[in-house]
Amino acid sequence: MAKSNLQFKTNYAVSSTIEPFYKGGKVQISKDEKFIFCTCGTRVNVLQIVTGKIVHSIEQDDQEDITSFALSLDDEILVTASKALLLKQWDWKQAQCTRSWRAIHNVPIASMTFDPTSTLLATGGCDGTIKLWDVVKQYCTHNLKGSSGVVHLVEFHPDISLLQLFSSASDCGIRMWDLRSSQCLCVLQSHYSPVTSLAFTSDGASMVSSGRDKICTVWDLKSRTTRRTVPVYEAVESVVLLPEDEDFSEIGVKTKEIHFITAGSKGVLRVWDASSARCVFAQTLPSAPPAGGSEEGGEEYGDPRSLTYCLPLPSSLRLVTVTAEHNILLYQLPSFTTQQQFVGFNDEVLDVKFLGKGDTHIVVATNSSQLKVFELATSSCKILYGHTDTVLSLDVFKKGSLFVSCAKDKSVRVWRQDPDSGQVCCVAQGCSHGNAVGSITCSRMKESFVVSGSQDCTIKVWDLPETIPETDGDMFQLNARVTEKAHDKDVNSVAVSPNDKLLVSGSQDRLAKLWSLGAPGADLALLGVFRGHRRGVWCVQFSPMDQVLASSSADGSVKLWSLQDFSCLKTFEGHDASVLKLIFVSRGTQLLTSGSDGLVKLWTIKTNECVKTLDAHQDKVWGLHATRKDDRVVTASADSNITVWTDVTEVEQAEEQAKQEDQILKKQELSNLLHEKKFLKALGLAISLDQPHTVLKVIKAIRQGEDGAKQLEKTVLKLRQDQKESMLRYCAVWNTNARSCLDAQAVIQVMLTHLSPEELLQYQGARAHLEGLIPYTERHMQRIGRLLQASMFLDYMWQKMRVTGAPASMDSQDEEMDTASLQVPHSLFMIDKRPGEGGDGTREQGDGEERWNEGEVEEDGGLEEDTNCPANMEDDDDEVSITRKASVRGQREENGQNGKENGNHRSGSEESSGEEDQGDQTG
């Protein structure tokens, strides 16, 4: 009964995406502390801190990468610099460029900053020069020369009355510039590597500088000398001063002396006392460093935890740090607890799974050793450390709070998420594979075991303890219960049956194998081999309902196999490249597949057809997973995008049904309006339905009524402009058909008569529609001309043919008709007069003109009837020609029969009068 009520899915729609927004470069916080500005290639993205969503994206028109940007201190002006050597000023709230000008730098700009008044902009170039711009009056005010190499740091003194600028270049010195004289006042020498950041005290009397030479220097700006040098034992990328009026005693700050925070290669925030040159607080990271990592190893650039930026949020007492892996973290002071984490760039996403009791989170394996757990509602992320090499595969247990991962470090890890707090910790791990572990799956009924497949061609079954630890403090060490040499090449995929009794494995050796898991402690038993794929098998899955399994391969096909006789039941072909992942949906009646072509396809198994193709990725789609309710799907790709899809089948069906009901009601209303002869409302309703045929029916009904031309004119002129635009568009189509061309011409006549050319040309697409009317109108005129000629020829033939042997009175009447036809002003033929007919010529002329006028009236009526003829104009001509020939042939046969009778009459009655003989000869 459940299956009979099952409804097939027909479509999915994108409900949310997690895409890269920061790929390295400068990061800046708005003064109101609501937005984070960061560069991403050709764009500057504006991230809203509260929601974690991108609210604005400012993109360069020239598609050149942005080298630097600066936001004014009043949050009004954003200026960007690109490799095209252009400076652009933006209204970032509207994402509009308000001004652009060429930077006088000969090479790209490396750094830029605004002064405290938001009127002066300083730019440091890779050519060693510094230029200052008045952004209000829009001109260059200073050109400072003297630095050697790239000017990677420029900062204004916080006291604008001093008009001082500080800069640092590749020569490792800090230059102090006087903007009144455009001279360098002095060069502060203390560092032996590039200076990375400067921080000024609130009174402007002191400054702290940091460098990659593992020291921080405290400067007295009045005497321009070094007050203290603080060794920090790591390459420092950023330094931030602690607010002087806040209480930070809980982190060891006990004096009012200068204290500063350093962020560098070790990835740990430290608080230093400038007067004593000692560290008073060091941040404790949420988890231990990766295995094999040491303090020295952590200092290497490229370490995932190393910090590149540290920015203060003084109003809310928070800090923003940026890691080398482009992750943005917010810390609350003074406790240094993590508030939010945002992932700027995921790199290549290798796997993704729904997580949590209500599938509220997703866990993502990217091209790194960290796992990322995203909360779908806010896009906030938690980064999980544990693996020491790239994580390759994931799987989640039935309840949703426990999941497993495997990586290139040859290990398997079990993680638990706290359902209340959302915190995740590693609770078990196992390491006994001889090579990278590329696939993993877990038991379906209970949290009892895990199966892994490795590039060492083996499959291992790991038993979980009955009581799994709650925290990572007492991590459980897993031991493999069974190890089986399963394939000759890498094991790409493993899956457990819904009853936990069977196991299937897919390998690069083009085979899929079915194994019996047996009782706990028993070895794996090979039950059968599935052969048929022409290339390596990427994914295998059991059906949740039937005794079948599906496999996808690099040959671009998906196969459905029987578990009874291991035969191939169906083959699905549609992907142009390798099919990397597949899952069953709709209780096993449909399949979702993802491939290297970036497409996700929905298949109905019974009909073997592809129902829908979802296109949202630009690269290989490695990850594909559905929720337990089967209403959402998540896909992850090598293009760094993660997309969540929602099943919209029921929504679309409801919309379609509502649309059909609305159409029925409107059609009924239209019928009522036509019946009541309310043509204006009927025409407006038909146009709103966008049904040209219905509009045509209304036009015909108007024209067929009393005084149709005036009624049509009155109705058309009362339409709105958008409705007239639609009418003009419809007329261009109607005019191509002989059946409806007269209606189209009637409407066009009304428009051309009452609307000026200027008004007509303002209509959308009017020029194209009018140009399209011309050739068909010319063809209609030619067709009507041919019909008119043909009808005149028929009329002439009819007037010239007489029935021989008619009474004299009839003959005289016929003679009148004959001569009348010769007096037409536009006669098509030149006919000589017969002798003896000139006496009555005047009377015959008048009658002839009257008869031609009657003929013209009849011809017009014929044209009206011609609107119902077929659309092919040549067929119309042929039909007229056939009618003409049939009429002439009938008259000839009748005349021939009369001739025979007259001949007999003449042979029998030779006493006929000469007048009758003459009349017969004339006939």
Side-chain angles (χ1 to χ4, degrees):
M1 182 62 69
K3 248 186 176 178
S4 63
N5 297 331
L6 180 65
Q7 184 179 21
F8 289 147
K9 301 182 188 303
T10 58
N11 195 13
Y12 287 89
V14 176
S15 63
S16 63
T17 57
I18 298 173
E19 55 187 1
F21 63 85
Y22 172 61
K23 295 183 178 180
K26 185 176 179 179
V27 175
Q28 189 172 344
I29 311 294
S30 61
K31 190 175 182 180
D32 59 10
E33 301 180 4
K34 293 181 179 179
F35 303 101
I36 300 176
F37 291 75
C38 46
T39 56
C40 184
T42 61
R43 306 191 308 270
V44 173
N45 289 318
V46 184
L47 178 76
Q48 190 172 25
I49 296 177
V50 176
T51 62
K53 304 292 184 183
I54 301 296
V55 292
H56 301 290
S57 186
I58 293 97
E59 185 165 9
Q60 294 278 117
D61 295 333
D62 51 17
Q63 295 299 312
E64 291 285 346
D65 285 348
I66 293 174
T67 57
S68 185
F69 74 90
L71 178 70
S72 62
L73 296 185
D74 58 4
D75 291 345
E76 292 297 326
I77 302 173
L78 176 71
V79 177
T80 61
S82 69
K83 289 184 178 179
L85 306 182
L86 283 177
L87 287 167
K88 291 193 176 185
Q89 183 175 321
W90 301 83
D91 178 3
W92 63 270
K93 295 176 183 176
Q94 304 295 328
Q96 291 182 348
C97 179
T98 57
R99 177 187 167 222
S100 65
W101 69 96
R102 287 198 63 83
I104 311 174
H105 295 279
N106 298 322
V107 289
I109 293 172
S111 59
M112 59 198 319
T113 188
F114 273 95
D115 76 327
T117 65
S118 301
T119 57
L120 284 179
L121 174 71
T123 59
C126 297
D127 54 1
T129 63
I130 302 169
K131 293 177 173 55
L132 274 77
W133 310 84
D134 189 322
V135 293
V136 178
K137 298 181 180 179
Q138 303 180 0
Y139 69 98
C140 180
T141 61
H142 297 75
N143 185 14
L144 309 178
K145 298 181 180 179
S147 303
S148 60
V150 178
V151 181
H152 57 265
L153 181 64
V154 285
E155 288 287 347
F156 281 96
H157 193 282
D159 186 357
I160 192 59
S161 62
L162 297 178
L163 282 177
Q164 290 180 350
L165 178 73
F166 294 82
S167 69
S168 180
S170 303
D171 55 6
C172 308
I174 302 172
R175 295 180 180 271
M176 181 187 296
W177 302 87
D178 181 14
L179 300 183
R180 289 187 177 89
S181 61
S182 297
Q183 298 295 321
C184 179
L185 298 177
C186 67
V187 179
L188 306 177
Q189 296 285 358
S190 172
H191 293 277
Y192 297 95
S193 68
V195 178
T196 54
S197 69
L198 301 175
F200 298 89
T201 57
S202 57
D203 57 5
S206 302
M207 178 183 72
V208 179
S209 64
S210 66
R212 297 192 181 104
D213 53 3
K214 303 182 181 182
I215 63 169
C216 290
T217 305
V218 182
W219 302 89
D220 186 341
L221 296 182
K222 292 182 179 179
S223 61
R224 300 169 190 172
T225 57
T226 302
R227 181 184 296 178
R228 188 84 187 208
T229 298
V230 181
V232 294
Y233 310 108
E234 67 171 334
V236 179
E237 295 294 329
S238 196
V239 62
V240 173
L241 293 177
L242 279 179
E244 298 174 0
D245 53 350
E246 297 291 338
D247 180 20
F248 292 99
S249 58
E250 64 177 278
I251 58 172
V253 178
K254 298 178 180 178
T255 63
K256 293 295 183 180
E257 296 293 328
I258 298 175
H259 288 76
F260 58 89
I261 303 170
T262 58
S265 57
K266 291 184 178 180
V268 177
L269 295 174
R270 290 183 171 89
V271 180
W272 301 83
D273 184 349
S275 59
S276 61
R278 65 185 184 88
C279 177
V280 297
F281 175 80
Q283 178 192 19
T284 303
L285 294 177
S287 57
S294 62
E295 295 235 341
E296 290 76 11
E299 295 179 20
E300 296 176 3
Y301 300 111
D303 185 280
R305 296 196 180 198
S306 63
L307 302 176
T308 57
Y309 283 96
C310 183
L311 306 169
L313 279 71
S315 300
S316 56
L317 275 182
R318 290 185 295 176
L319 279 179
V320 171
T321 62
V322 183
T323 69
E325 285 209 333
H326 311 124
N327 301 322
I328 299 175
L329 294 87
L330 274 78
Y331 295 101
Q332 182 65 55
L333 297 179
S335 59
F336 284 89
T337 54
T338 306
Q339 274 198 333
Q340 287 175 285
Q341 297 185 51
F342 303 107
V343 177
F345 183 59
N346 282 315
D347 201 0
E348 189 170 357
V349 185
L350 302 180
D351 204 358
V352 63
K353 290 288 188 292
F354 280 105
L355 184 65
K357 189 175 182 180
D359 296 319
T360 55
H361 296 69
I362 55 172
V363 56
V364 180
T366 62
N367 194 20
S368 71
S369 59
Q370 293 87 46
L371 287 171
K372 299 179 177 71
V373 177
F374 289 91
E375 185 180 358
L376 292 175
T378 63
S379 297
S380 182
C381 176
K382 291 182 175 61
I383 301 171
L384 309 180
Y385 296 91
H387 287 287
T388 58
D389 208 339
T390 305
V391 181
L392 298 176
S393 184
L394 302 165
D395 201 12
V396 182
F397 284 92
K398 187 176 181 179
K399 292 182 179 179
S401 60
L402 204 66
F403 65 96
V404 292
S405 63
C406 61
K408 283 185 179 180
D409 60 6
K410 310 175 189 178
S411 71
V412 173
R413 285 181 177 261
V414 182
W415 307 79
R416 178 187 291 279
Q417 182 190 38
D418 188 291
D420 299 324
S421 65
Q423 296 296 325
V424 181
C425 60
C426 182
V427 294
Q429 70 167 346
C431 304
S432 63
H433 275 289
N435 208 332
V437 186
S439 60
I440 195 163
T441 186
C442 52
S443 55
R444 297 299 165 205
M445 298 184 71
K446 296 180 180 179
E447 299 172 349
S448 55
F449 63 89
V450 172
V451 180
S452 60
S454 170
Q455 293 179 10
D456 60 10
C457 309
T458 64
I459 295 173
K460 290 182 182 288
V461 181
W462 312 77
D463 283 332
L464 298 182
E466 293 183 2
T467 303
I468 300 175
E470 296 290 335
T471 62
D472 54 0
D474 46 355
M475 188 184 301
F476 184 82
Q477 292 296 324
L478 298 175
N479 294 313
R481 164 168 57 97
V482 177
T483 300
E484 184 74 33
K485 172 73 165 60
H487 292 272
D488 296 330
K489 291 185 178 180
D490 299 356
V491 180
N492 290 332
S493 178
V494 287
V496 175
S497 64
N499 61 1
D500 286 349
K501 293 182 178 180
L502 299 176
L503 171 71
V504 64
S505 60
S507 170
Q508 205 65 30
D509 61 6
R510 300 179 292 180
L511 300 178
K513 294 185 178 182
L514 185 67
W515 308 83
S516 173
L517 285 170
D523 291 338
L524 293 177
L526 181 63
L527 300 179
V529 180
F530 303 97
R531 291 182 171 88
H533 284 295
R534 300 186 302 274
R535 298 186 67 182
V537 178
W538 275 113
C539 185
V540 287
Q541 285 291 337
F542 283 99
S543 169
M545 305 297 288
D546 303 310
Q547 292 191 2
V548 296
L549 67 86
S551 63
S552 65
S553 168
D555 59 13
S557 69
V558 177
K559 290 182 181 291
L560 207 65
W561 308 88
S562 169
L563 298 183
Q564 305 295 330
D565 55 4
F566 312 111
S567 61
C568 180
L569 302 176
K570 286 180 180 289
T571 299
F572 303 88
E573 293 183 339
H575 285 278
D576 296 330
S578 301
V579 185
L580 302 175
K581 272 286 171 67
L582 66 89
I583 56 173
F584 282 91
V585 292
S586 305
R587 299 181 190 169
T589 59
Q590 289 183 294
L591 282 171
L592 270 173
T593 60
S594 64
S596 297
D597 50 10
L599 301 177
V600 178
K601 289 181 179 288
L602 176 64
W603 307 83
T604 298
I605 294 175
K606 185 176 181 180
T607 60
N608 220 63
E609 67 171 328
C610 177
V611 179
K612 189 70 178 179
T613 298
L614 309 176
D615 187 4
H617 295 286
Q618 307 299 322
D619 210 336
K620 302 180 183 70
V621 183
W622 287 108
L624 177 65
H625 193 231
T627 59
R628 288 184 285 277
K629 291 182 179 179
D630 215 17
D631 59 343
R632 286 181 298 160
V633 170
V634 61
T635 57
S637 169
D639 60 7
S640 189
N641 287 338
I642 301 168
T643 305
V644 180
W645 307 80
T646 302
D647 179 17
V648 293
T649 303
E650 293 183 0
V651 176
E652 288 186 347
Q653 288 179 350
E655 289 177 354
E656 185 65 26
Q657 185 176 355
K659 187 177 179 181
Q660 290 177 359
E661 291 175 356
D662 187 51
Q663 292 278 358
I664 292 170
L665 291 174
K666 286 186 176 180
K667 285 180 180 179
Q668 183 60 47
E669 183 183 355
L670 182 63
S671 177
N672 296 339
L673 291 172
L674 287 174
H675 182 71
E676 298 168 5
K677 294 188 178 181
K678 296 181 179 178
F679 296 120
L680 180 61
K681 289 185 177 180
L683 198 60
L685 182 58
I687 293 173
S688 68
L689 290 172
D690 196 21
Q691 295 181 351
H693 181 68
T694 308
V695 178
L696 182 61
K697 284 172 61 178
V698 177
I699 297 293
K700 286 183 181 292
I702 295 173
R703 294 187 67 215
Q704 290 170 3
E706 295 181 3
D707 202 6
K710 288 187 177 180
Q711 183 66 34
L712 178 65
E713 179 180 337
K714 181 180 177 183
T715 305
V716 170
L717 292 177
K718 286 184 178 180
L719 294 174
R720 301 191 309 269
Q721 179 175 334
D722 60 321
Q723 293 174 331
K724 290 177 183 176
E725 290 176 359
S726 301
M727 286 290 291
L728 187 60
R729 187 173 75 250
Y730 297 157
C731 287
V733 178
W734 297 340
N735 196 47
T736 63
N737 194 319
R739 294 180 180 179
S740 54
C741 65
L742 291 180
D743 301 294
Q745 292 292 334
V747 175
I748 293 167
Q749 181 184 3
V750 173
M751 290 189 173
L752 293 178
T753 305
H754 295 85
L755 298 177
S756 64
E758 293 78 10
E759 189 177 356
L760 261 178
L761 289 175
Q762 288 179 356
Y763 289 2
Q764 185 177 3
R767 189 181 298 275
H769 297 325
L770 292 173
E771 289 177 354
L773 287 168
I774 295 172
Y776 283 98
T777 303
E778 291 176 348
R779 289 181 62 182
H780 293 316
M781 290 299 296
Q782 293 171 5
R783 178 174 62 86
I784 293 173
R786 290 195 299 270
L787 289 173
L788 183 60
Q789 290 178 9
S791 64
M792 292 172 68
F793 181 73
L794 278 174
D795 194 40
Y796 168 75
M797 293 296 296
W798 175 257
Q799 302 294 343
K800 294 299 295 180
M801 289 189 300
R802 290 171 50 245
V803 179
T804 57
S809 60
M810 181 72 75
D811 291 345
S812 62
Q813 187 177 358
D814 290 343
E815 288 175 0
E816 293 175 6
M817 294 173 64
D818 294 343
T819 52
S821 65
L822 299 175
Q823 305 303 320
V824 181
H826 300 290
S827 176
L828 299 176
F829 302 93
M830 298 300 295
I831 303 174
D832 294 336
K833 286 276 187 178
R834 292 196 307 274
E837 292 183 350
D840 299 326
T842 305
R843 179 180 57 80
E844 291 168 358
Q845 252 187 345
D847 293 343
E849 289 174 359
E850 183 179 351
R851 292 178 185 279
W852 271 109
N853 290 334
E854 293 174 0
E856 289 176 345
V857 172
E858 293 173 0
E859 181 63 23
D860 290 340
L863 288 176
E864 284 293 325
E865 294 174 359
D866 185 63
T867 58
N868 295 324
C869 66
N872 192 333
M873 301 172 192
E874 296 179 359
D875 293 348
D876 297 339
D877 298 343
D878 294 343
E879 187 176 350
V880 172
S881 178
I882 292 168
T883 306
R884 184 177 67 235
K885 291 178 182 178
S887 302
V888 172
R889 189 182 299 114
Q891 293 293 339
R892 285 176 179 173
E893 291 175 356
E894 185 179 352
N895 289 342
Q897 193 172 10
N898 292 338
K900 289 180 181 180
E901 293 175 358
N902 292 338
N904 295 334
H905 177 69
R906 282 197 300 272
S907 61
S909 305
E910 294 178 356
E911 296 179 357
S912 301
S913 66
E915 292 178 2
E916 291 175 352
D917 291 339
Q918 186 177 1
D920 292 338
Q921 289 174 6
T922 303

